[in-house]
Amino acid sequence: MAMASPSTPSFSASCCCARTNSPPFARFPFVSFNHRVVQPHPLSRRLAVSSRLNSFDASPGGSISPDNGDYELYHKFSRQRRRGGSPVFVMLPVDAVNLRRLKAMPQSLRALAAAGVEGVVMEVWWGLVESKEPGAYDWQGYLELVALAGLFGLKVRAVMAFHECGTGPGDPHWIPLPLWVIEEIYKDPNLAYADRFGRRNTECISLGCDNLPVLLGRSPIQAYSDFMRNFRETFRPFLGVIITGIQVGMGPAGELRYPSCPSSKLMSAWRSRELGEFQCYDKYMLASLKACARETGMNAWGNGGPIGAADLMQNPDHTKFFRSDDGSWNTTYGNFFLEWYSGMLLLHGERMCREAETIFRGTEVNTSAKVAGIHWHHGTQSHPSELTAGYYKTSTRDGYLPIARMFGRYQFSMSCACVEMQDVEEKQMNPNSSPESFLGKLLLETRDCDIHLEGENSGVSWDDDSFQRMLKTLKFFPTGLEKPSSFTFTRMDKNMFEYGNWVRFTRFVRQMSDANIFKAKQRSGGDANQSSMSYKAGLTLTYS
């Protein structure tokens, strides 16, 4: 895709960044659950699992036959459940491996399988698995979860989550970075990102020290690689059979971006005004910036980020750097800084992609990474909230095409949320917001780069309008590529299994899975098949 280029000189961040070349599951006899070890055994590519069900009497994608009042669900992993449509995955609760949650999980997974869901998305938290000391991995809960999914014929996508979750110890979903990593950050606060006010963000480790041995002799990239490598060895019997996808976390909230503002704030309505702050004030990022400035002969440009970016919630046209008419984003200096800032993010993505591609090569799993759905200033010339997140997207520059090309080099799919959002609603909060234009841009670029774009909703809403919006958007997703498009529903919670919500959700899954129903739905604006599977109101789950 040809894009207009600024007339100012182009500077590459690579000039100053060195690259490195761097127990109770008797029906699974091939897996032995020990404290931290799984004994691999040969595994057939076709695995048939039988399981007693007593909550449903219909199941698209499997066969159910009566047997003394019970029902038997028979799944094969080679089945074509989609029938030409798009598979639906459901993201599991954050604390899916919590002991209390695991006890309720079989009934939840049984319900999803009967609804025709293709699989589940499982976040594998670095802070839980390698919590106490480096190199000591505890996969037990995740092994049980994967085996359960396989028991009900569900596929699994595993997210390598190298970031924290939640807002702090008081948050019921709080999952910090590994304790030993937190101790290292306490010793050297510069391992965390910092803005111009010196505020630290500990959602993930600063990419400025990617290749430095700051984690007890290992670099962050080495720590991430060791984690993924140990995952591969532990879950080898499942890879390509039950575990069919790996999403590699590359930043806060698992997204390839800077924590320009806390991830928790991006989930609120206030996001519509966020400009974000440049995260380049830890000593490692500043060292790289200074080196690049020296390369250009402009030492003064290496002292920090742009002046005049103003407050987080300010109107961008009231700032010196972001204003449309004569903002310094569109100057030689602005181009230098944004090239460096976005270039550092691209280098981080390149390192993570290269390591993951090497580690999972030959395992027959699809690899992917996620970009942030930052759309709330997409209608301005300077795109401030995207710039501070590391996406060099302006009215004269395409900030996502370099990322799509990078993913393409390593055969990564691109994942992005916000598919249920519509301009007409978002513009009520910010007239410059345009989620539809943002998503359309990503679709064009992923098609141009011949990679797959995976959709995801940004929040849970159980009304009919929300599901209709998702269907309307998803019909534009590419289906002619080798890897058909898919959708991740975020996320399973107690509300999903309420009768009305469950009926709407299963109808949505059916419409997504069957191409003929899906197309008829778009033409008619109504449900092509009003019948729904029977639902047993007595389905109870333990959710906090």
Side-chain angles (χ1 to χ4, degrees):
M1 181 186 302
M3 297 297 298
S5 300
S7 58
T8 53
S10 175
F11 301 96
S12 173
S14 60
C15 65
C16 51
C17 303
R19 294 190 180 186
T20 58
N21 295 321
S22 1
F25 295 99
R27 297 180 186 180
F28 281 83
F30 52 87
V31 177
S32 154
F33 292 105
N34 297 321
H35 179 57
R36 285 176 182 162
V37 180
V38 169
Q39 302 294 336
H41 295 275
L43 185 63
S44 170
R45 286 300 176 195
R46 294 169 60 90
L47 178 61
V49 180
S50 294
S51 175
R52 296 291 181 189
L53 298 181
N54 56 17
S55 295
F56 301 89
D57 55 14
S59 173
S63 62
I64 294 181
S65 58
D67 181 12
N68 297 325
D70 291 337
Y71 301 93
E72 184 177 76
L73 175 65
Y74 183 81
H75 280 299
K76 289 187 176 181
F77 285 93
S78 61
R79 71 194 183 284
Q80 293 297 320
R81 182 185 288 172
R82 293 189 299 275
R83 291 177 290 172
S86 296
V88 175
F89 286 75
V90 174
M91 185 172 288
L92 295 176
V94 169
D95 59 343
V97 294
N98 176 282
L99 181 60
R100 175 172 168 268
R101 185 77 77 191
L102 277 173
K103 289 181 178 179
M105 197 59 68
Q107 198 166 359
S108 302
L109 297 181
R110 179 187 295 121
L112 293 179
V117 167
E118 184 79 3
V120 294
V121 177
M122 173 184 76
E123 292 160 311
V124 184
W125 295 99
W126 186 28
L128 295 181
V129 175
E130 197 182 358
S131 175
K132 297 180 180 179
E133 57 181 293
Y137 306 97
D138 185 357
W139 304 103
Q140 185 66 24
Y142 292 105
L143 284 165
E144 296 181 16
L145 190 55
V146 171
L148 271 174
L151 191 66
F152 296 109
L154 294 168
K155 297 176 182 177
V156 174
R157 284 181 179 168
V159 178
M160 304 289 102
F162 299 116
H163 59 283
E164 73 176 22
C165 177
T167 57
D171 190 328
H173 300 303
W174 170 242
I175 301 176
L177 297 178
L179 298 179
W180 58 274
V181 173
I182 295 175
E183 291 177 0
E184 295 307 304
I185 294 176
Y186 179 78
K187 297 174 187 175
D188 181 6
N190 284 286
L191 298 182
Y193 287 105
D195 63 17
R196 61 197 172 103
F197 301 109
R199 294 174 297 199
R200 299 284 175 181
N201 186 300
T202 58
E203 291 185 58
C204 55
I205 299 174
S206 169
L207 62 82
C209 55
D210 264 357
N211 292 323
L212 302 176
V214 294
L215 297 180
L216 299 175
R218 289 189 300 170
S219 71
I221 293 294
Q222 288 174 326
Y224 306 148
S225 299
D226 290 346
F227 182 91
M228 290 189 288
R229 191 173 295 107
N230 195 272
F231 177 90
R232 179 198 65 193
E233 294 307 309
T234 303
F235 290 84
R236 187 179 289 276
F238 301 105
L239 295 178
V241 181
I242 298 176
I243 300 176
T244 58
I246 301 291
Q247 186 177 109
V248 182
M250 297 188 177
E255 298 166 336
L256 179 61
R257 64 174 174 89
Y258 293 101
S260 49
C261 60
S263 295
S264 58
K265 296 182 68 176
L266 299 184
M267 301 301 293
S268 70
W270 287 107
R271 71 172 186 272
S272 63
R273 304 179 186 176
E274 286 283 358
L275 303 184
E277 288 284 352
F278 291 107
Q279 304 293 307
C280 59
Y281 290 87
D282 65 78
K283 71 178 183 182
Y284 303 106
M285 292 291 287
L286 282 176
S288 174
L289 179 58
K290 288 180 183 293
C292 271
R294 284 196 300 269
E295 289 280 341
T296 65
M298 300 295 291
N299 291 346
W301 290 355
N303 295 327
I307 298 173
D311 299 327
L312 285 171
M313 307 296 285
Q314 192 166 349
N315 184 324
D317 279 332
H318 295 167
T319 70
K320 182 178 180 181
F321 189 79
F322 296 123
R323 62 192 180 203
S324 298
D325 294 337
D326 58 349
S328 51
W329 62 271
N330 198 23
T331 64
T332 303
Y333 163 72
N335 184 60
F336 158 78
F337 176 80
L338 295 171
E339 281 271 12
W340 168 80
Y341 191 67
S342 62
M344 289 287 285
L345 187 68
L346 277 171
L347 283 177
H348 175 69
E350 185 99 25
R351 292 166 184 144
M352 295 297 288
C353 285
R354 182 169 58 242
E355 294 295 326
E357 192 279 330
T358 301
I359 291 168
F360 294 107
R361 185 185 301 159
T363 60
E364 298 186 25
V365 298
N366 299 322
T367 49
S368 64
K370 189 175 182 181
V371 297
I374 299 177
H375 54 80
W376 38 94
H377 288 293
H378 197 74
T380 65
Q381 291 191 47
S382 62
H383 295 239
S385 49
E386 291 165 273
L387 295 185
T388 55
Y391 307 133
Y392 193 174
K393 175 73 175 77
T394 67
S395 59
T396 59
R397 186 183 180 94
D398 188 341
Y400 300 99
L401 186 58
I403 297 174
R405 286 172 174 166
M406 175 189 67
F407 288 163
R409 287 196 294 274
Y410 297 95
Q411 297 183 331
F412 266 55
S413 298
M414 180 187 289
S415 175
C416 186
C418 80
V419 300
E420 84 283 16
M421 294 183 177
Q422 291 187 320
D423 286 3
V424 64
E425 294 183 355
E426 294 299 319
K427 286 182 180 295
Q428 294 177 8
M429 293 184 287
N430 184 347
N432 291 316
S433 179
S434 182
E436 293 178 23
S437 175
F438 166 79
L439 192 60
K441 189 67 175 175
L442 287 188
L443 278 167
L444 289 175
E445 290 165 356
T446 51
R447 282 173 172 167
D448 286 349
C449 295
D450 198 29
I451 66 173
H452 171 46
L453 181 64
E454 299 170 354
E456 182 179 320
N457 58 318
S458 59
V460 179
S461 179
W462 298 103
D463 57 276
D464 284 321
D465 288 344
S466 178
F467 285 109
Q468 294 307 310
R469 289 196 298 270
M470 287 188 282
L471 286 168
K472 178 181 176 181
T473 302
L474 290 165
K475 73 176 182 177
F476 295 110
F477 271 50
T479 55
L481 301 180
E482 182 180 351
K483 300 172 184 176
S485 53
S486 63
F487 175 75
T488 296
F489 184 83
T490 308
R491 75 177 64 225
M492 181 187 1
D493 62 12
K494 62 182 179 181
N495 296 315
M496 171 180 278
F497 300 100
E498 293 179 2
Y499 178 78
N501 296 338
W502 183 250
V503 170
R504 284 185 284 272
F505 174 73
T506 53
R507 182 190 302 134
F508 170 77
V509 173
R510 187 173 63 254
Q511 291 165 346
M512 286 290 295
S513 300
D514 192 309
N516 294 327
I517 294 178
F518 183 51
K519 292 175 182 177
K521 174 71 176 175
Q522 300 308 323
R523 288 194 297 268
S524 67
D527 191 357
N529 183 359
Q530 291 294 336
S531 65
S532 63
M533 71 176 64
S534 66
Y535 176 83
K536 185 172 182 179
L539 179 64
T540 57
L541 301 161
T542 55
Y543 282 93
S544 57

